[in-house]
Amino acid sequence: MVDAVVLVSGGAAVTPYTDPERAAATGLAAGNTLTALREHFVSAAVPVFTAPARMGVGTVERDAGWQGFDDVPLVLPAEVTVNAVGAVDDAGRALAGFVRWLRAEHRIGSVDLVGHSMGGLFSRAAIRELRAGGPRVERLVTLGTPWDGAVLGDAVAGDITTADAQGDPATTTILEQAMTYAAVHSQGAAEQVSRRFLRAWNQTQAGVLDGIPVTAIGAGHFAAATEPAQLWPHDGLVSLRSGRAEDVPVEVAPLVDRRSFPDLVHSIFFADAFGLPWERALTWDPEVFAVVDAALGI
């Protein structure tokens, strides 16, 4: 059995460092992405840590934004804090640094990584870094990770447009807002979640996941159309096909168990925006947690 599970949040997330005993004392204990999943592992007495992340380079002390947190008991240095709106490989180096910090401070020799959204890409980049020296990564679970592109990135690249929404109001709104959000917040992340970028980047990752079992979990609540398959169905940010790594070459991901949750959305942000219970989000749904447990042998 591995020494710990490390949870990795995705693009534009703000997440505090937490360990099995310590978390943010005010608001959502591990941020609006990972709080429920962390609590699930803590309740099961599984050693679990969340990797600190923020929008931009720096440290994580609080999140004054939507469903944020405060009173963080331990603030880690910027060099082991993921810039969640920056380049994937930079985030991977920071995450690898965090895992090495866990080895030094907590005697962690091996980990399982569970990444939400871009957190799955950050995790894959970190695994490449850790092969040069660091705790072993035994298994990887991805939740709504854009293995083959995301709605945001493909919209920025011009490969998906509002015409592809086929008149669906929710998808039209998502596509319209994606461009504005990327222009304001992205420091490279938006361009790097396009299918164009990731198909090239995936080739650089060939061999990185050799011997590492992967569970790729996708969702597809928005299913008003079937074409283009690059978009439909999707969870609000990532297509079901991309979340399941269906079009990723075998040399990139040789050991993949693909799971589908057609009725779920990407995160509680999307659940809230479309009037759904938080439990309909990939990182808040108990049925998803059961799949994660099985993948990790818990």
Side-chain angles (χ1 to χ4, degrees):
M1 183 163 176
V2 298
D3 293 330
V5 174
V6 175
L7 306 182
V8 186
S9 54
V14 184
T15 302
Y17 163 77
T18 73
D19 58 36
E21 289 78 35
R22 296 176 292 182
T26 305
L28 294 178
N32 61 52
T33 298
L34 299 178
T35 291
L37 187 55
R38 173 190 179 268
E39 179 56 34
H40 169 75
F41 283 119
V42 169
S43 297
V46 174
V48 61
F49 298 82
T50 60
R54 54 166 284 144
M55 296 173 66
V57 175
T59 59
V60 183
E61 299 178 21
R62 65 185 55 83
D63 177 14
W66 185 80
Q67 300 296 339
F69 57 83
D70 205 340
D71 301 318
V72 175
L74 179 61
V75 176
L76 297 190
E79 56 265 28
V80 297
T81 300
V82 170
N83 175 4
V85 292
V88 170
D89 288 332
D90 290 344
R93 282 186 281 273
L95 178 57
F98 171 70
V99 175
R100 292 184 180 116
W101 180 87
L102 289 178
R103 175 180 60 185
E105 296 295 322
H106 295 275
R107 300 180 182 272
I108 300 297
S110 61
V111 299
D112 289 334
L113 297 178
V114 180
H116 173 248
S117 194
M118 282 190 81
L121 301 179
F122 303 158
S123 295
R124 292 173 57 199
I127 292 169
R128 185 187 65 226
E129 295 290 327
L130 290 167
R131 285 189 177 277
R136 299 186 313 277
V137 176
E138 300 290 352
R139 286 163 289 207
L140 170 65
V141 177
T142 64
L143 308 173
T145 287
W147 285 80
D148 191 46
V151 173
L152 173 64
D154 291 337
V156 170
D159 295 329
I160 291 176
T161 70
T162 53
D164 295 316
Q166 311 281 354
D168 177 55
T171 302
T172 299
T173 298
I174 290 166
L175 287 169
E176 289 174 344
Q177 294 184 356
M179 299 296 290
T180 301
Y181 188 87
V184 173
H185 295 290
S186 178
Q187 298 174 12
E191 294 80 1
Q192 294 196 352
V193 288
S194 69
R195 174 183 279 190
R196 290 191 206 183
F197 176 87
L198 286 171
R199 289 200 165 178
W201 184 79
N202 278 334
Q203 295 303 319
T204 71
Q205 292 287 112
V208 169
L209 294 176
D210 286 357
I212 298 177
V214 172
T215 301
I217 301 172
H221 171 77
F222 301 96
T226 57
E227 296 291 337
Q230 187 172 352
L231 173 62
W232 297 101
H234 63 90
D235 64 9
L237 195 58
V238 177
S239 74
L240 181 61
R241 289 187 66 85
S242 183
R244 284 168 41 88
E246 290 188 34
D247 299 309
V248 175
V250 67
E251 62 269 20
V252 175
L255 302 172
V256 185
D257 180 20
R258 298 178 171 90
R259 299 300 184 97
S260 301
F261 286 85
D263 201 34
L264 299 187
V265 295
H266 192 72
S267 66
I268 63 171
F269 177 85
F270 285 93
D272 202 68
F274 293 99
L276 301 172
W278 284 5
E279 289 77 13
R280 293 277 295 281
L282 273 168
T283 58
W284 230 264
D285 178 45
E287 292 186 10
V288 173
F289 297 171
V291 171
V292 174
D293 286 352
L296 302 183
I298 295 172

